[in-house]
Amino acid sequence: MPLGEFDLIARYFARPARRALLGVGDDCALLAPAAGMQLATSCDMLVEGRHFLSTVAPDRLGHKALAVNLSDLAACGAAPLAFTLALSMPRAEEAWLDGFSRGLFALADAHGCELVGGDTTQGPLCICISVFGEVPAAQALLRSGARAGDDLYVSGTLGDARLALEAFRGTLDLTGDALTTARAAMELPQPRVALGIALRGVATSAIDVSDGLLGDLAHLLRLSGVGARLEVDALPRSATLAAQAPAVQRECTLAGGDDYELLFTAPPGRADAVQAAAVAGGVAATRIGRVEAEAGLRLFDAEGRALPNTWGSFDHFRP
Ligand code: ADP
Ligand code: MG
């Protein structure tokens, strides 16, 4: 007997509610954010062939589907509460469901974020998650708060996910440990939730880097009504990426995509507070430039030479 819709929900996704007032099983879930907190919500969809390769292990896919959503909460400085899962899949395959739900719940448990509902249907493989988090009133980090004179920072390292993608596309050779590390960056991104929370009251603006640094930085600058100077050679990268050709390093760090690091700004006088937040967040924060009043983005190399901006950002409708 193939597994039916409600059996599979019960077996793989229904878990008793903990913090939610009501979880999976009724028409709606009920959440109760703490007094004085605002509800932060975001939704991200992953489509097979578009956002992930069909070869990815199901547990890693479960992890990544939630990770990209938690990354949006992180960028707002919100603490995760709950999520819903809309799942379309061609068949109810138990081995796949088992792996997918294990990867999903491992990350959910690590962040105290519970699955409170969803929808399940037969169709092309597509995973759509909505997350809900809470943030103290008026303390959410926004894209629009950067001010001229602020320092520009990024967490962690950039470019490894793109490096792995290029290896799978066959445009460059990557083997052994280098491939394993890059692949883990692509398939198991770590949402910077603790850093986002620690940056409340410190960062003046923030965004998570999902479509490539240059593209996401452009969003932040536009919404803040400012420009910036970016030190291209200061962009943090792994030893794996640093071993690649200089042009590959530039492409992957500037326009890589799928990084899920936080890009944020803070006044120079808060540099120590930024580093304390990085310690609390368990990830490095590297200064990569400065916000300027003049609109637009200006790129410089380590010798202070201006570089032309020839890199693009990822856009689903402009290949
Ligand atoms: P409805 O028809 O009222 O929208 P469904 O019959 O689709 O509800 O789903 C029954 C219950 O199972 C609901 O509480 C729904 O939120 C939950 N649910 C459905 N699919 C999932 C899923 N993939 N993960 C978690 N909960 C789910
Ligand atoms: Mg209903």
Side-chain angles (χ1 to χ4, degrees):
M1 262 287 267
L3 198 59
E5 175 184 335
F6 297 101
D7 299 327
L8 87 81
I9 294 168
R11 189 170 310 170
Y12 295 104
F13 299 115
R15 289 166 134 210
R18 283 180 283 185
R19 286 172 72 187
L21 299 175
L22 186 63
V24 169
D26 215 306
D27 291 305
C28 288
L30 297 173
L31 301 176
M37 301 295 254
Q38 291 175 334
L39 196 63
T41 183
S42 177
C43 160
D44 252 314
M45 181 156 62
L46 268 71
V47 177
E48 182 170 21
R50 192 74 201 167
H51 300 94
F52 59 91
L53 305 171
S54 52
T55 49
V56 64
D59 58 325
R60 291 186 164 207
L61 186 58
H63 172 103
K64 185 164 179 177
L66 182 58
V68 304
N69 280 279
L70 292 176
S71 178
D72 284 321
L73 290 183
C76 285
L81 285 175
F83 67 106
T84 60
L85 167 69
L87 182 61
S88 161
M89 57 193 166
R91 294 166 299 280
E93 242 177 66
E94 299 221 38
W96 188 91
L97 283 161
D98 181 61
F100 178 81
S101 58
R102 267 190 294 108
L104 180 84
F105 283 124
L107 185 66
D109 291 347
H111 289 278
C113 190
E114 56 185 336
L115 179 59
V116 294
D119 199 22
T120 306
T121 175
Q122 193 268 333
L125 185 55
C126 172
I127 303 145
C128 184
I129 288 180
S130 294
V131 277
F132 305 90
E134 60 180 13
V135 60
Q139 283 190 41
L141 304 177
L142 306 180
R143 295 178 176 187
S144 53
R147 294 294 167 257
D150 284 353
D151 285 321
L152 191 60
Y153 294 90
V154 72
S155 67
T157 60
L158 297 170
D160 278 0
R162 176 62 180 275
L163 192 63
L165 181 63
E166 293 304 328
F168 286 116
R169 282 175 170 165
T171 66
L172 54 83
D173 253 339
L174 211 60
T175 51
D177 286 350
L179 180 61
T180 307
T181 327
R183 183 174 193 169
M186 177 173 79
E187 297 180 342
L188 296 170
Q190 298 301 320
R192 302 306 184 190
V193 172
L195 175 63
I197 292 170
L199 285 173
R200 289 176 191 161
V202 175
T204 50
S205 72
I207 186 171
D208 68 320
V209 182
S210 53
D211 294 336
L213 179 75
L214 289 179
D216 291 315
L217 176 56
H219 295 313
L220 184 147
L221 297 177
R222 183 171 35 80
L223 285 168
S224 295
V226 292
R229 168 190 176 96
L230 184 68
E231 311 293 342
V232 169
D233 291 329
L235 295 176
R237 68 208 70 183
S238 69
T240 303
L241 183 55
Q244 299 297 312
V248 172
Q249 295 186 41
R250 289 232 165 117
E251 174 79 24
C252 289
T253 50
L254 287 167
D258 255 5
D259 294 301
Y260 304 104
E261 294 296 347
L262 296 190
L263 173 65
F264 59 96
T265 57
R270 304 306 306 277
D272 289 347
V274 166
Q275 292 310 319
V279 170
V283 64
T286 305
R287 184 186 173 279
I288 58 169
R290 171 153 296 169
V291 179
E292 297 175 331
E294 186 191 340
L297 182 61
R298 291 157 289 280
L299 309 184
F300 294 90
D301 70 7
E303 277 78 50
R305 286 183 300 237
L307 295 172
N309 183 355
T310 51
W311 295 274
S313 156
F314 188 75
D315 181 325
H316 280 284
F317 294 99
R318 278 196 206 146

